[in-house]
Amino acid sequence: MKRLAVGIPRNLTNAFWLTGGRLTAHFANFALFVLLSRFFGPDGLGQYAVGMALGGLLYAAVSLGIEDYAIREGARQTPLVRRDFVGRLLGTQISTALVAVLVLIVFVMIVSYSPSQVAIVLLLASYQLALAFSRTLFVPAFSLQEMRVPSLLELATRLSATMASATLIILGAPLVLALVPIPLSGLAFLVFGIGSARKYDQGLTAEVGLGALRKTLLAIWPFAVSILVYQLYARADVIMLSFMRGEADAGIYASSFKFLEVGALPLYFMGVSAYPALSDLFARQDSRFSRAALGFQLPLLLAASLLAWGLLFVAPHILVPALGEEFRAAIPVVRTLAILAILVGIETATMRLLLVANLQVTRLKHQASAAGLNIVLNFFLIPPYGVLGAVWASISSHLAMVVLYYAALSTVSRTLAYRRALRKFVASLVAVSLVGWAFGLAGSSEWGVALATLVSFGARDPTKRRTRSVSRAALSQEKVSARASPNWRFL
């Protein structure tokens, strides 16, 4: 069986292709977002955001968290075994898609959306449906760490759709018509996914039946429920804002989160690129696991810090020129999201290690608790505080989730190096925040504070120091753990 490449260079190479492809596509989508705000205002943007939120829930119901589960397992399988494995996954998705689409249609009928909103929901849901199947079809390529071609294909299809939609908007097309190219791009990506699965696994099957469905659901249910919870966690605030405060507030909120969403993509792709090799090392009880985990974590946390800095000092100055004067209210929202950017970075790193360590059920429990907290806080904070109430609900619930994830990792001895590095990272952030606060009190300008915090973090950057000593400490701990307990803990 082919051994997967281990180390920072391969991880960063795959992260480069994933980030470059999807980030470029998201920047193009952001340009479309700007056009939507300019031509249709907060109301039109709110309709688009609601459509994407409901489409995201459909994606969760059909994708079933299969990508995270399948990449981990596929990295440990031969092509023929993986072909049957992917076939069972596809059969399960077909069955759940029929139910999920029916539920979506009933929901749209019950809430009495306008005809244009219904059409937008169906168009964007169709795209998410195609995307859910495509992700599974590209699992063989991702399991072998072949991520360049899928990334480029996704970029090509999404970029084409964005350009086509932008052209229609500029020509004066109504919102519904302008969004038609988006599901067409999803269909094209689906066709490419079929070709990829046939190439890497010597064919393609789809096993539909109660036996295959039962077997697959028993294996993937923590991942399936997790992605449903995540989508509920990520989309509930937009949907609740639209009902409780109107589509305009939902548009302000969505425009603010767009900066965080696009900026956080590299964090997500760093996790995806390191996932197959980390899973393989953990399964083989390889002594290189701790070093590989550190090599994945440290650049990710640095990127999260830079994202927070950008949201705090850069994004507010480009928001109004990009989206229009109607979105000036989003400036304090974007600044507040800098806190969430740090939490997202920590959550991304801890979540991947939980999955690698087979703690997906634990991850699900903590994620569900955070999602429930988020909904409750939104219910109480949105009516009096509007958009900022939704932001603080998200920050509070995300902080709770990070704390729970960190506590869960304390049960895995081989994550000792990660936990030590995370504590140093948090200490550095506190120190940098104090520097910025001191410069602000001294009367420094905004850009003076920005420069001071950037230089201060560079001087204290935990990714530049102690990496070697932490790695040595991790290896020493591994030897102690190996002598103390010959069996690895799989939960």
Side-chain angles (χ1 to χ4, degrees):
M1 179 180 173
K2 177 182 176 182
R3 284 295 177 202
L4 301 180
V6 177
I8 296 176
R10 184 58 183 266
N11 292 344
L12 292 183
T13 298
N14 281 321
F16 168 79
W17 287 112
L18 287 168
T19 303
R22 295 192 190 178
L23 191 58
T24 302
H26 270 70
F27 274 123
N29 190 50
F30 184 76
L32 177 63
F33 204 79
V34 171
L35 284 176
L36 289 172
S37 67
R38 290 286 187 178
F39 281 79
F40 300 103
D43 289 336
L45 201 59
Q47 286 188 323
Y48 174 79
V50 170
M52 287 298 292
L54 293 175
L57 291 175
L58 177 65
Y59 173 85
V62 178
S63 69
L64 298 171
I66 282 174
E67 188 177 22
D68 285 335
Y69 167 72
I71 291 174
R72 188 187 73 184
E73 299 303 313
R76 305 166 181 172
Q77 295 172 344
T78 62
L80 291 178
V81 173
R82 191 168 51 237
R83 182 188 65 187
D84 295 336
F85 171 68
V86 172
R88 290 194 300 272
L89 298 180
L90 288 172
T92 301
Q93 283 186 296
I94 291 172
S95 301
T96 57
L98 295 174
V99 177
V101 170
L102 179 61
V103 171
L104 178 64
I105 292 173
V106 172
F107 173 81
V108 169
M109 294 174 63
I110 290 175
V111 297
S112 301
Y113 281 134
S114 65
S116 62
Q117 181 69 82
V118 171
I120 290 170
V121 169
L122 294 180
L123 285 172
L124 297 178
S126 298
Y127 168 73
Q128 297 286 2
L129 187 65
L131 190 63
F133 282 103
S134 301
R135 295 278 188 243
T136 303
L137 291 167
F138 280 110
V139 159
F142 272 58
S143 296
L144 296 174
Q145 294 179 295
E146 299 294 340
M147 302 178 185
R148 178 174 63 90
V149 173
S151 301
L152 292 175
L153 290 173
E154 183 168 1
L155 171 62
T157 54
R158 293 184 63 179
L159 199 58
S160 299
T162 302
M163 293 176 64
S165 292
T167 301
L168 290 171
I169 292 173
I170 293 172
L171 292 176
L175 180 58
V176 174
L177 180 60
L179 297 179
V180 168
I182 294 178
L184 295 179
S185 72
L187 180 61
F189 191 51
L190 179 64
V191 172
F192 287 128
I194 293 173
S196 175
R198 287 176 173 172
K199 173 183 176 182
Y200 286 103
D201 280 351
Q202 304 173 24
L204 176 65
T205 62
E207 186 178 348
V208 180
L210 291 178
L213 180 64
R214 180 178 179 276
K215 182 176 181 180
T216 303
L217 290 179
L218 285 175
I220 69 170
W221 75 264
F223 298 88
V225 178
S226 176
I227 195 160
L228 282 169
V229 170
Y230 170 76
Q231 288 293 338
L232 182 62
Y233 177 86
R235 312 295 181 181
D237 40 19
V238 174
I239 296 173
M240 292 176 73
L241 270 170
S242 68
F243 277 114
M244 301 171 76
R245 298 286 294 225
E247 292 175 343
D249 272 23
I252 293 293
Y253 185 79
S255 64
S256 304
F257 256 82
K258 196 66 177 178
F259 287 88
L260 175 60
E261 177 186 336
V262 174
L265 282 175
L267 313 182
Y268 171 75
F269 297 134
M270 285 179 179
V272 172
S273 64
Y275 189 43
L278 288 174
S279 298
D280 186 43
L281 289 174
F282 190 92
R284 292 191 285 115
Q285 306 181 23
D286 196 301
S287 62
R288 294 172 294 173
F289 173 77
S290 288
R291 281 178 291 176
L294 273 177
F296 141 70
Q297 171 219 7
L298 296 177
L300 189 152
L301 294 178
L302 174 60
S305 303
L306 293 176
L307 171 59
W309 185 88
L311 290 172
L312 197 58
F313 296 108
V314 179
H317 294 282
I318 64 176
L319 193 150
V320 173
L323 303 183
E325 190 63 34
E326 294 172 296
F327 290 87
R328 183 169 294 278
I331 291 178
V333 180
V334 170
R335 290 188 189 277
T336 309
L337 289 176
I339 302 172
L340 189 57
I342 297 295
L343 296 175
V344 167
I346 298 174
E347 183 266 337
T348 301
T350 51
M351 179 269 290
R352 283 293 165 189
L353 291 179
L354 286 172
L355 294 183
V356 165
N358 298 331
L359 292 172
Q360 57 266 17
V361 176
T362 301
R363 190 275 297 254
L364 172 60
K365 292 177 181 177
H366 297 332
Q367 188 183 46
S369 299
L373 176 62
N374 186 47
I375 292 174
V376 171
L377 290 175
N378 272 306
F379 182 80
F380 286 104
L381 294 179
I382 286 177
Y385 302 111
V387 175
L388 281 175
V391 171
W392 280 109
S394 184
I395 290 173
S396 302
S397 56
H398 229 91
L399 177 61
M401 182 163 55
V402 164
V403 171
L404 290 171
Y405 281 2
Y406 182 85
L409 278 180
S410 65
T411 65
V412 183
S413 62
R414 301 212 171 204
T415 61
L416 173 65
Y418 163 78
R419 286 178 277 136
R420 291 181 60 184
L422 181 58
R423 288 196 296 269
K424 292 176 181 177
F425 170 73
V426 173
S428 294
L429 286 179
V430 172
V432 170
S433 300
L434 290 174
V435 169
W437 177 71
F439 269 76
L441 285 181
S444 179
S445 67
E446 179 183 341
W447 288 111
V449 175
L451 181 61
T453 53
L454 191 61
V455 171
S456 176
F457 187 80
R460 296 186 54 87
D461 179 9
T463 68
K464 293 170 61 178
R465 293 178 177 161
R466 305 183 184 95
T467 302
R468 184 173 298 176
S469 63
V470 172
S471 297
R472 287 176 179 171
L475 289 176
S476 176
Q477 175 66 25
E478 285 173 357
K479 292 177 182 178
V480 172
S481 299
R483 289 195 295 268
S485 178
N487 296 320
W488 252 26
R489 184 174 184 179
F490 290 86
L491 298 179

